[in-house]
Amino acid sequence: MRPILSVLVLAAALSALRGESIRVAFPAERQKLGAVSQTYLIGSVAPGRTETLYVGGVTTAVHRTGAFIQMVPVTPGTNRVVVHRGGVRLVRTFVVAAPASPAPEKTEPPILTDDDPRLGPPAVWRTTGCLLANRVRAEIKEGETIFFLPRGFEFRGAEVKGTAWIAAWLENRRGYLPKSCVMRVPGIPAGGLPPKGLVVPDPQTGFPLLPPYGKPPSSVRICVDAGHGGSDVGAVSPHGWYEKDVNLMQARALRDALEKAGFDVVMTRDGNATRKLLDRPMLAYDERVDAFISIHHNSTAEHRDPRQVRHTTTYASTTNGLALARCVQKHLAQVMAPVPDAGAQMKSLAVCRNPSVPSCLVEVDFINLPEGEEESWNPVRQKKVADAIVCGVLDWMAPPPEPKPENPAPVSEEKDE
């Protein structure tokens, strides 16, 4: 017997059975799309009926929950797609942008010396953003992160003329951070400008450098983040349900599984709250947790067919986060089969760049796909996914095996002749 549908899926199905209706969840009415030549159209109808569904004149399969998906060709300007089944007809209108000529890329040569004319006069600057926003990079806009600066930290810096960036001299290195994170301190202090060799406080102070090897779960704190929330709804499914809601359902299932295993759990949200992006990893930092796990569900770009790219994956942005992601993904892939496993991957994500807390982001499934929607809202699978993540965390905490001693080279014995 197949797993039961979630309460939401079942309720929608029963409601639809009372009479035929057609709902299109994407594109929304009058929605503006990019310059694409095709888009997916997803929606739902009453399940269990025999009439053929047509989307843009093309016969379209209906999933057993009533969800459907169809790729439709589009042209620049206003597009109208007719969806009909039996005597019910719906017209969805949306706008597609015209292809734009690519603007020539403006590349500035790197600043190689401290007396580059693009640098303004040196002054004292003070950080105003949170630790994770005060990210000093090796190059303007791009480049590796070389420092995270605490709020209120004063340093020697200079404006980069014609840009929204500040050059900062720290530990005898020059880096760059956005003006939005700093303010200029008027005047020059009596002691002069801060030195170029000013040492930056280590954000890892007070945090363990290694995973909690061999510790009991009761002594380990895990921060669980339900992605999106409030006005930030995330992706949308064929029935018009929001990613923010299924993220919270899955995050609660994970919290319950972690607590059952003995872990201490901190939630970034436990309701429909809007939380700023960097507030999430900052909560993990402030609470001094041992690990941070963000729960998300995927969708494709408007021109991509989710049936062709469906997969499950776990992302990380740091080396210690990747170790956690690999352990989580190993177990997640097993319970998600036959959904393809894309493995653990490195990707620059704001919630995963925490310099002190091993962090990962789990993309469970694609909810703009009828099958992905059904399974993602299924509480049976939510529990399986939660249990798999717990197993991954326990693997991550397991002490590494002791190195095997090297076998000494055999000693040859000389015989007397």
Side-chain angles (χ1 to χ4, degrees):
M1 181 177 179
R2 295 183 64 113
I4 62 171
L5 300 180
S6 73
V7 174
L8 288 175
V9 175
L10 187 57
L14 292 175
S15 174
L17 281 170
R18 298 191 185 104
E20 175 66 302
S21 62
I22 298 174
R23 291 179 289 271
V24 172
F26 182 89
E29 183 65 20
R30 303 303 302 176
Q31 183 169 351
K32 295 180 180 180
L33 306 184
V36 297
S37 59
Q38 65 172 2
T39 187
Y40 66 83
L41 188 146
I42 55 175
S44 61
V45 294
R49 299 178 64 142
T50 59
E51 299 96 332
T52 301
L53 175 69
Y54 297 93
V55 176
V58 177
T59 300
T60 301
V62 177
H63 189 61
R64 67 194 192 96
T65 62
F68 65 85
I69 178 171
Q70 182 64 55
M71 299 300 297
V72 295
V74 296
T75 57
T78 300
N79 287 256
R80 294 179 178 85
V81 177
V82 178
V83 184
H84 70 95
R85 185 168 74 162
V88 180
R89 182 173 180 268
L90 179 146
V91 179
R92 178 48 46 95
T93 304
F94 52 93
V95 179
V96 175
S101 300
E105 289 190 13
K106 184 180 179 181
T107 57
E108 291 284 346
I111 297 173
L112 300 178
T113 63
D114 291 350
D115 58 358
D116 190 295
R118 286 171 291 175
L119 295 177
V124 182
W125 295 81
R126 180 186 299 132
T127 57
T128 58
C130 70
L131 174 75
L132 299 182
N134 302 332
R135 183 160 64 112
V136 182
R137 305 190 190 192
E139 299 292 341
I140 295 176
K141 297 183 182 180
E142 303 294 338
E144 63 172 331
T145 300
I146 54 178
F147 299 113
F148 285 96
L149 306 181
R151 188 193 302 271
F153 185 75
E154 295 188 357
F155 61 94
R156 180 191 188 107
E159 291 188 75
V160 181
K161 298 175 183 177
T163 75
W165 291 78
I166 296 292
W169 286 271
L170 300 160
E171 300 188 9
N172 294 313
R173 294 186 65 178
R174 187 179 60 250
Y176 306 89
L177 72 164
K179 287 182 183 178
S180 59
C181 299
V182 298
M183 63 175 290
R184 183 170 179 168
V185 179
I188 301 295
L193 293 172
K196 292 183 177 181
L198 186 65
V199 176
V200 175
D202 186 355
Q204 288 192 309
T205 300
F207 289 85
L209 298 179
L210 296 173
Y213 292 140
K215 289 187 177 180
S218 58
S219 67
V220 176
R221 302 191 80 194
I222 307 293
C223 184
V224 176
D225 172 45
H228 304 285
S231 59
D232 178 13
V233 301
V236 65
S237 77
H239 279 88
W241 302 331
Y242 296 137
E243 181 196 353
K244 66 173 183 176
D245 297 320
V246 73
N247 288 347
L248 182 57
M249 294 169 70
Q250 184 63 72
R252 285 172 171 169
L254 176 56
R255 173 200 60 197
D256 293 346
L258 285 166
E259 290 180 344
K260 184 178 179 180
F263 289 95
D264 181 16
V265 180
V266 176
M267 297 280 284
T268 61
R269 69 178 178 99
D270 195 16
N272 187 28
T274 301
R275 290 204 69 131
K276 293 180 181 178
L277 193 60
L278 290 182
D279 285 350
R280 301 165 187 263
M282 276 306 300
L283 176 65
Y285 182 88
D286 293 338
E287 292 287 337
R288 295 295 193 265
V289 301
D290 295 279
F292 173 93
I293 302 172
S294 186
I295 299 296
H296 284 254
H297 288 73
N298 224 330
S299 67
T300 53
E302 55 202 25
H303 66 286
R304 298 288 300 275
D305 187 342
R307 293 169 294 188
Q308 304 299 321
V309 299
R310 185 186 184 190
H311 63 266
T312 184
T313 188
T314 303
Y315 291 113
S317 302
T318 62
T319 302
N320 59 359
L322 184 60
L324 173 63
R326 283 172 172 163
C327 291
V328 167
Q329 184 62 27
K330 173 185 174 182
H331 291 272
L332 180 64
Q334 294 172 1
V335 301
M336 289 295 294
V339 176
D341 171 24
Q345 303 181 46
M346 290 288 281
K347 187 175 184 179
S348 181
L349 299 170
V351 295
C352 290
R353 292 194 206 107
N354 201 314
S356 310
V357 179
S359 306
C360 67
L361 184 148
V362 179
E363 290 280 11
V364 181
D365 202 348
F366 281 71
I367 63 166
N368 63 338
L369 182 69
E371 296 84 353
E373 176 196 56
E374 177 187 4
E375 290 301 311
S376 295
W377 264 267
N378 183 345
V380 175
R381 196 187 73 175
Q382 288 172 6
K383 185 177 185 306
K384 290 181 179 179
V385 167
D387 290 341
I389 295 174
V390 172
C391 288
V393 172
L394 291 171
D395 276 4
W396 172 70
M397 292 168 52
E402 293 287 339
K404 294 182 179 180
E406 296 183 5
N407 293 326
V411 178
S412 60
E413 296 183 1
E414 295 183 3
K415 295 182 180 180
D416 293 334
E417 294 292 334

